[in-house]
Amino acid sequence: MKTIQGQIVDIQNRTIFSGSILVENGKIKAIKKEEHNVKHYILPGFVDAHIHIESSMLVPSEFAKIAVKHGTIATVSDPHEIANVLGVKGVEFMIENGKQTPFKFNFGAPSCVPATTFESAGAVINSDDIKTLMANPDIKYLAEMMNYPGVLFDDSEVLKKIEWAKHYNKPIDGHAPGLRGEDLTKYINAGITTDHECFTYEEGLEKLQKGMKVLIREGSAAKNFEALIDLLPKHYQNIMFCSDDKHPDDLLLHHINKLCARAVAKGNDVFNVLQAACINPVKHYNLDVGLLNEGDTADFIVVEDLKAFKTLQTYINGELVFDNGTSLMPHINFENLNNFNTEKKQISDFKVESQAKNIRVIEALDGELVTNQILAEATIEHGNLVSNTQTDILKMTVVNRYKNDTPAIAFIKNFGLKEGAIASSVGHDSHNIIAVGVDDEAICKAVNLIIENKGGICAVSNTKQDVVPLPVAGIMSDQNAETIGKAYAKLDQMAKDLGATLHAPYMTLSFMALLVIPALKLSDKGLFDGSKFEFTNVEV
C-alpha cells in the first residue's frame, strides 16, 4: 500500500480538496479528505486523443518514456503510417512493442491503406483485414476515415469497413477537412463520430452541433488551437486535445500539458480544460484508463500547479513511471522491420523537358496541411524546367520506394532553400521519398542518401551532407528520444541554414504528398488536384 498526498482535482464533480490517495495492487483503494501542507495537485493523466506515434520517429516504447514526463499516460494511436509500409504486420509490431511498457497505448485499425488509389503504398488493408483487426481486443476503434469521398459516394469497400466497426461496437474516427452542409450530415450518419481536421471555428461549431466530437489539434505542423479553442467553454464535454503528428524535438519539450497551459492562460475554466484533456477521450473510446475514482486503476499525475501543469510524478497502474525529472520506463529490445526496394537514381531522372510558359505550383503554408494551387512563370534552362531560387519556386520530387519507377516531379513555393536539397522517407501517407531542392544534382544526391540508408531524413549542401537514418519501416528510429531529438534538431537547423523559412520544414515536407488534403499535392504517380480528386499537369 502506498499513500500519495496533495490537492486532489475531482474534475467530474468540479472540486479541489486537500487529501490523500491510497494505492494497492495497482488500484485506488481509497481517496480521503484530510488536511496537510502539500501544495501540489493530483489529477487524472493526460490522454492524446489522436496521434500517429510514428511521426515522433520513435517506436512506442521510446515514445512512452518521454510522454510520461509531460503527464501523458495514454494515447489513442492510429498506426496508419507503418500500416502503409508493412500492412497488418506493422500494426502488430506497434501493439506488441507498446504492450511491453506500462504506458496505455490504444491502437486503432487503419481504415485507409493505401490512403488513395492515386499513389503507391507498401501494403493494402482491405475490409477482410479490418474484420480480423476489429475482432482483436487490442484494437479499440476504426481509425480516421480519410476517404470521405468514398463515404459520400457509397463505396462498397469503405462501407464494409465501417460496418465491421459497428458490428464490434467500436467507435469510428473521422477525417473531413472543410466538409460542411449536407455532405457532412451524410458523413456523420454513416456512423463517424470525431474529427480532428477542422481549421475554422465555424466548421468546428457545425460539426459539434451535428453531434460530432471535435479534437483540437496542435502538432508540429498542423496547428488549429487558436482557431478552435473558443469552442471549449460551451462544448467542453465534446472536445478533446490531440497532437496528430509530433516530431521528436517537440515531444522532448511538451505534449498535451502545453495545450492545457495555453487554454488556461486564455481564461478557460480549468475543469473544462481538464475534462477535454483527461476525461473525454477515456469515455469516448472506452479506454482502460483510471479517472481518479475509488476502484479505478491508479493512473494519475502530480503537477506543480494548474497553470503550467509541470509534471512532478506520473503513475500508471499504481506504478511510478516518472519521478522529478527521471523517466522510469524500461528499455525494450526489438527487431527492425522494413520495406525498401528501390535502386539509386541518376541526375537525368529528375529532368523535365518543357517549353511551357507557365506552371502549376504547390504553395506550402506554414503550420497547415492544406496547400494552395498557384500559377507561376516557368524557368527553363536547356529545355529543362528548373528551380528558381529568386522567386522561391523549387523543384520537388516523390520517388516510389517500393519498386524502381520514374520519379514524379512538381514545383513548390515557400520552402525558401537557396542551396542544396532536403529529403525524407516520411511522406504521408504512403511514405515514398520526398525531396525539394535548388537543382537536379542536389535533389538526386539527397534522394540517393535516403535510398542508401533505406529510410531517413537528410539535408545536402554544396560541401556537406547529413542524414538521420530511420531503419524501422523507413519512418522510425531504433534510437532513444534524446538521441533522435538532437539529431533531428541539428538537421532542422541545417535545412534552415540552407535557407528554409518554414517553422518545421521536414514536417511540412512530409505532408506534401498527402493527397486527401487539398488543394495541390504530389504523389509518386504525378501532380494531384485534391479539390477535384484527379491528376493534373505541371504545365499550364
Side-chain angles (χ1 to χ4, degrees):
M1 182 107 71
K2 62 177 98 155
T3 303
I4 297 102
Q5 288 186 319
Q7 302 302 311
I8 296 168
V9 182
D10 182 347
I11 300 167
Q12 286 157 298
N13 292 310
R14 301 175 83 87
T15 62
I16 299 171
F17 59 89
S18 176
S20 61
I21 295 175
L22 274 64
V23 176
E24 189 174 51
N25 299 326
K27 302 260 189 193
I28 295 177
K29 187 173 184 191
I31 298 174
K32 294 181 177 172
K33 287 189 178 182
E34 58 182 33
E35 291 306 316
H36 52 60
N37 295 321
V38 181
K39 296 282 186 281
H40 50 236
Y41 294 83
I42 303 173
L43 59 144
F46 301 126
V47 182
D48 191 327
H50 174 77
I51 188 169
H52 305 279
I53 301 293
E54 303 97 312
S55 292
S56 69
M57 301 181 192
L58 303 169
V59 295
S61 55
E62 291 298 330
F63 174 94
K65 281 186 193 173
I66 305 306
V68 294
K69 292 185 171 190
H70 306 309
T72 306
I73 58 166
T75 57
V76 179
S77 313
D78 178 1
H80 152 117
E81 313 303 345
I82 197 168
N84 269 287
V85 178
L86 290 160
V88 172
K89 190 166 79 167
V91 177
E92 288 166 348
F93 168 83
M94 299 296 276
I95 291 170
E96 290 314 309
N97 180 264
K99 269 187 175 177
Q100 293 177 68
T101 77
F103 192 88
K104 300 196 168 180
F105 290 102
N106 297 280
F107 287 105
S111 67
C112 301
V113 177
T116 70
T117 54
F118 303 101
E119 60 200 298
S120 306
V124 174
I125 292 182
N126 61 28
S127 56
D128 290 337
D129 298 319
I130 293 293
K131 177 186 175 182
T132 306
L133 286 166
M134 281 291 146
N136 180 348
D138 290 326
I139 293 289
K140 305 292 185 192
Y141 66 106
L142 183 65
E144 54 182 311
M145 181 44 77
M146 295 189 301
N147 186 0
Y148 65 83
V151 178
L152 299 180
F153 298 117
D154 301 316
D155 180 285
S156 62
E157 183 69 0
V158 167
L159 297 183
K160 275 184 203 163
K161 291 175 179 178
I162 289 172
E163 283 310 312
W164 281 121
K166 290 177 179 173
H167 177 79
Y168 285 101
N169 201 23
K170 294 181 181 181
I172 304 162
D173 263 9
H175 168 116
L179 199 64
R180 307 283 299 270
E182 287 178 19
D183 283 350
L184 173 61
T185 303
K186 179 166 183 180
Y187 186 71
I188 294 169
N189 288 344
I192 295 161
T193 56
T194 69
D195 192 56
H196 59 272
E197 289 290 346
C198 306
F199 41 89
T200 66
Y201 175 91
E202 293 73 22
E203 181 189 346
L205 183 60
E206 183 182 350
K207 285 173 176 169
L208 285 161
Q209 287 170 339
K210 288 184 172 177
M212 270 187 146
K213 305 273 199 317
V214 164
L215 279 60
I216 295 180
R217 166 180 61 187
E218 194 78 351
S220 293
K223 298 176 186 293
N224 310 117
F225 178 88
E226 291 298 335
L228 302 176
I229 193 61
D230 289 344
L231 292 165
L232 187 71
K234 280 191 179 172
H235 302 277
Y236 66 89
Q237 287 172 312
N238 292 307
I239 283 179
M240 305 178 229
F241 292 142
C242 78
S243 307
D244 200 359
D245 294 286
K246 197 137 179 89
H247 265 184
D249 53 339
D250 272 355
L251 184 65
L252 285 167
L253 298 174
H254 45 68
H255 195 195
I256 300 300
N257 56 333
K258 176 84 179 289
L259 293 183
C260 293
R262 283 175 65 187
V264 168
K266 278 186 164 288
N268 281 285
D269 180 283
V270 72
F271 293 112
N272 292 352
V273 173
L274 295 177
Q275 175 91 23
C278 312
I279 308 287
N280 293 344
V282 175
K283 295 204 161 175
H284 179 74
Y285 293 99
N286 193 27
L287 307 181
D288 178 22
V289 173
L291 294 176
L292 211 61
N293 301 313
E294 287 187 359
D296 281 2
T297 47
D299 306 322
F300 55 84
I301 61 177
V302 180
V303 300
E304 203 166 80
D305 57 45
L306 299 180
K307 287 183 182 151
F309 297 94
K310 184 190 174 193
T311 307
L312 305 175
Q313 290 184 321
T314 302
Y315 291 85
I316 301 178
N317 296 331
E319 186 183 334
L320 183 62
V321 294
F322 171 72
D323 188 20
N324 291 309
T326 306
S327 181
L328 307 172
M329 289 292 223
H331 173 72
I332 306 298
N333 291 318
F334 58 90
E335 182 192 345
N336 290 353
L337 302 174
N338 209 341
N339 183 4
F340 223 102
N341 301 307
T342 190
E343 287 161 20
K344 287 169 87 167
K345 304 301 168 200
Q346 311 294 323
I347 294 169
S348 58
D349 292 331
F350 302 98
K351 287 201 171 0
V352 181
E353 288 183 7
S354 174
Q355 297 301 322
K357 291 269 187 288
N358 296 303
I359 53 172
R360 281 185 183 82
V361 175
I362 299 166
E363 185 183 24
L365 304 172
D366 210 355
E368 296 284 354
L369 306 190
V370 291
T371 60
N372 290 330
Q373 174 175 173
I374 57 175
L375 300 181
E377 200 177 320
T379 305
I380 294 174
E381 285 177 7
H382 311 299
N384 173 32
L385 280 174
V386 296
S387 295
N388 185 331
T389 55
Q390 302 309 141
T391 57
D392 185 27
I393 289 173
L394 304 179
K395 188 176 276 189
M396 168 186 174
T397 185
V398 175
V399 179
N400 187 331
R401 62 118 124 178
Y402 303 105
K403 65 175 188 187
N404 278 321
D405 214 338
T406 310
I409 307 291
F411 287 83
I412 193 160
K413 187 172 175 68
N414 289 340
F415 268 81
L417 297 175
K418 300 294 181 199
E419 183 193 338
I422 61 173
S424 172
S425 58
V426 178
H428 305 286
D429 279 313
S430 295
H431 300 292
N432 289 303
I433 303 162
I434 310 186
V436 173
V438 303
D439 54 41
D440 296 348
E441 289 79 3
I443 290 169
C444 185
K445 190 173 163 189
V447 166
N448 286 340
L449 198 50
I450 300 294
I451 293 170
E452 279 167 33
N453 283 277
K454 292 199 180 301
I457 56 172
C458 76
V460 302
S461 73
N462 298 338
T463 54
K464 65 175 184 173
Q465 60 184 48
D466 195 9
V467 64
V468 177
L470 299 173
V472 184
I475 55 176
M476 288 178 285
S477 174
D478 53 2
Q479 304 294 309
N480 64 35
E482 282 79 7
T483 304
I484 188 78
K486 276 183 195 145
Y488 174 77
K490 183 175 161 223
L491 202 60
D492 185 69
Q493 190 52 53
M494 182 172 170
K496 286 165 182 170
D497 292 344
L498 294 173
T501 49
L502 296 162
H503 167 69
Y506 289 99
M507 185 61 98
T508 302
L509 182 67
S510 74
F511 289 112
M512 293 303 104
L514 183 57
L515 308 188
V516 294
I517 304 255
L520 200 59
K521 297 286 167 76
L522 180 66
S523 94
D524 67 293
K525 295 180 178 180
L527 190 61
F528 189 77
D529 185 329
S531 305
K532 295 178 182 169
F533 237 69
E534 62 188 26
F535 286 111
T536 187
N537 292 321
V538 173
E539 298 167 309
V540 179

